[in-house]
Amino acid sequence: MAGIPVLSAISGALARLRSLWRGVRRRAQVEAEMREEFRHHIELRTEDLLRTGLSPAEARRRARIEFGSMATHRDAARAARGLRAFDQLRFSWLDVKLGLRMLVKHPGLTIVGCIALAIGIPVALAPLQLVHAINAPLPFDEGERIVGIEYWSGVDEVRPKLHDFERWRRELTSFEQLAAARPRSMNLVGEGGRVQVVRGAEMTASAFAVPRVKPLLGRVLLEADEARGATPVVVIGHALWRTYFGGDPGVVGRTLQLGRTRRTIVGVMPPGFLFPYRAEFWVPLQARAIDYEFGEGPSLWVFGRLRDGVSKKRAQAELTAVGRRIAADHPDERARLRTDLLPYAYAVTGLRANFQRAYPAYLMTLLLLGVACGNVGTLMLARAAARSTEIAVRNALGAGRGRIVMQFFIESLVLACLAAGVGLVLAELVARRFEFFTRSMPFWFDLGVGPFAVAVAGGLAVFSAVIAGLVPALRLTGKKVHHTLHHSGVGVAGLRFGAVATVLIIAETGLAVGCLSGVGMMGPGAFRAPSIGEGIAAAEYLTARLELPVDLPTRGAADSVAAGFSARFAEIQQELSRRLAAEPAVRAVAFASALPGMDHDRVRVEVEGVDAPADAPGGHTVRRAHVGPGFFSALEQPVLMGRGFDSRDLEASARPVIVNRSFVDQVLRGGSPIGRHIRCVHPPDEEPAPWHEIVGVVNDLGMNIVNPARGAGVYHLSAPGESRPVYLLVRLAGDPMAFVPRLRSILTRIDPAMQLDDPARLDEVFSDLRLEARFGSIVFMLVAAIAILLSAAGLYALMAFTVTGRTREIGIRVALGARRSNIAAVVARRALLQLGAGVALGAWLGAVVVRDMINDANLATYWPLALVTVAAVMAIIGLLACAPPTLRALRIQPVQALKQD
């Protein structure tokens, strides 16, 4: 029932806007009718004067003089039809000047409103900008006709397989070309032994006909290139051509080594062609469905170009029919899937499911903008209420309601446009500062501040002005202003802050408390800069991820391929360790599934003799890494208790584990860990995990950069080839990055297909990860700061409005002997109640949201401290917001208050 007043207020505002819009449309219709009627009368009178012998020009001039001006007849017609109020809704540059003057005259409202809307407008713009980029046509000839095909389970997208693609290519007639591709990255071995990991695509030859782009040199892939046993060929991109061959026009026919295969270059694509995603080279897709069981084989991007005259609706209908036939033939694999035709970007980015899951977040962005607009509207209503005497006088002098409403709307629009401009500048600065979020975006995406962003920001500014200016103005002028002037000395007795303002203030306070208490509940570690670990010279270590492309298993060969892959990966790791140990600059080598400073995987474990937490009966949440025997010695990390790993532990059926110091403190509560047994908690329908004995304790090595205070972790011993991903850690004498070419050369000699991805110094990896974590923290704290600012502004507006509207009452109370403490309590009671409700709501919100985000069973450890601290902060901020209006109320003299009546 509490929401009924809010809904009623919103409904009333919408009804008034609807009535105003109908009036504007009626006015436009009447204008057109009057213009036509005026023209008709002029023509009739001109014909009469022509019969008297006057020239056409003279007859038309006299007809206009006799009939009068259009403005005279228009005003008379409007008065007769009751449209004079809408006549005053005309735009005037004087209103803009007044709006700019009000911004200067009320700097507090300008600063608060501009900050609120400058954050709210870009936040609401971001999802719309991303959707625009997703739905934008590809930058090719008739790019809007290039579409993708995908299976949809109702929750997630399912990539098609070779059987699906070949069936669609045979039976679909709506497509001019249908193609398939899959992303590939390979080692490019260039001249002089240079090795670089490059991104490309394995595609059918028909994929080049989809964008209709001709090669710069040579040819594109042909169907003959897809045949088994065909000469290995490659088409390279313009960047590779310039980088590796210096733009040599005779490059066609030369060879290039990609992975283990030397391929003949048959073509060079023009600049900017990175289709289908961010490809730098293209090789033929030679896999065939006959080699795989149905539903097996590589996952594909399937896309095509619609035939001329074929609509997307017709193509979807045909695709649905074919999908039903496939489902009937293979009910176990396809019966629960829907075949969808969708924009190309969704087919290659996998963003469809993410968009569906992110709908609540999109709604939250609009809610944040609505809260910001509502609070700015509250401030403007408070300011306008103080001007109600001025409004009443203007009304008495002939200014209609429409003229006054338009002035308030223009004032708020000026503020919103200023805020939108500031917000766009901030958005551009943030996009440039955090470019790592857009590095992997498709090549045709444009997330910068362009015409679309400016147009949408302008629309959001108008929307903000309607909420923040038009709605309060309609409410303020809803009553007879001369009645307000007659019955109220200050002109606001008939106005009150309604349920909407109350809900806004409570929501803003709750949002601020929720964010702040959430950060506080993470513990002191949330406010401490995360570290890699004590005693680690991070600048001396080179790190990289090792990646070996997987050979796709054919019919009945899955087990043998998996076993062969693991064996080959183990051989490569062992050979790499041996060769690196012989290098003069190398001081230590280690392998691990995650390195210090990275955010390690979370698992739940049960510990022998230790009860599970009461609020997490499933077990203790800890971090986990799989490391090789020499991991801790390579990092020069001593074993604090017990012993380290050695190679003999690899032969044990249940290998021992090592825990860190936070595990001892947080899980064992300081108890002795050596000799205890732990195991991972598996779902009930799986076999129980084996028990592992704890044999040692080491220092904390940055297993949780988001919250170092929750860094309890376990290290499992891993043999070469057993875990993926695998990170290489090499300690070097000298600059680690100078060793990268040598390391690539060593890896290429061992296996040309082995890829060395993202080489970097350990401190640089940590800095990048910390930057991402800090970005999230900055956003979290920024939302809290905005909410605090808005809630403080709302409380201030409420108090100022209350003091202004109750001036006579306060004067009478003082005259009757009321104490100043009683006056302060009467004035601040409602604001303090709203503040208390917001604190309670925010405390609950912080507990729920942060627990769900962090998934930490011990999250509530700092609950009392966080709640008390945040409540105190918000109480201080609320009191500071309430103080100036309350002090003004206490200074009211009875005589002065009664003189205003």
Side-chain angles (χ1 to χ4, degrees), residues 546 568-578 589 591-592 719-723 726 750 754:
L546 299 180
R568 181 56 182 158
F569 207 100
E571 292 174 4
I572 293 173
Q573 282 187 240
Q574 293 168 347
E575 181 65 16
L576 180 62
S577 297
R578 187 184 66 79
V589 180
F591 298 93
E722 287 185 348
S723 63
V726 175
I750 296 173
M754 193 70 183

Side-chain angles (χ1 to χ4, degrees), residues 484-512:
T484 302
L485 179 64
H486 179 74
H487 289 86
S488 174
V490 291
V492 295
L495 292 173
R496 297 183 182 276
F497 270 54
V500 174
T502 300
V503 171
L504 284 175
I505 294 172
I506 293 176
E508 292 154 0
T509 307
L511 183 61

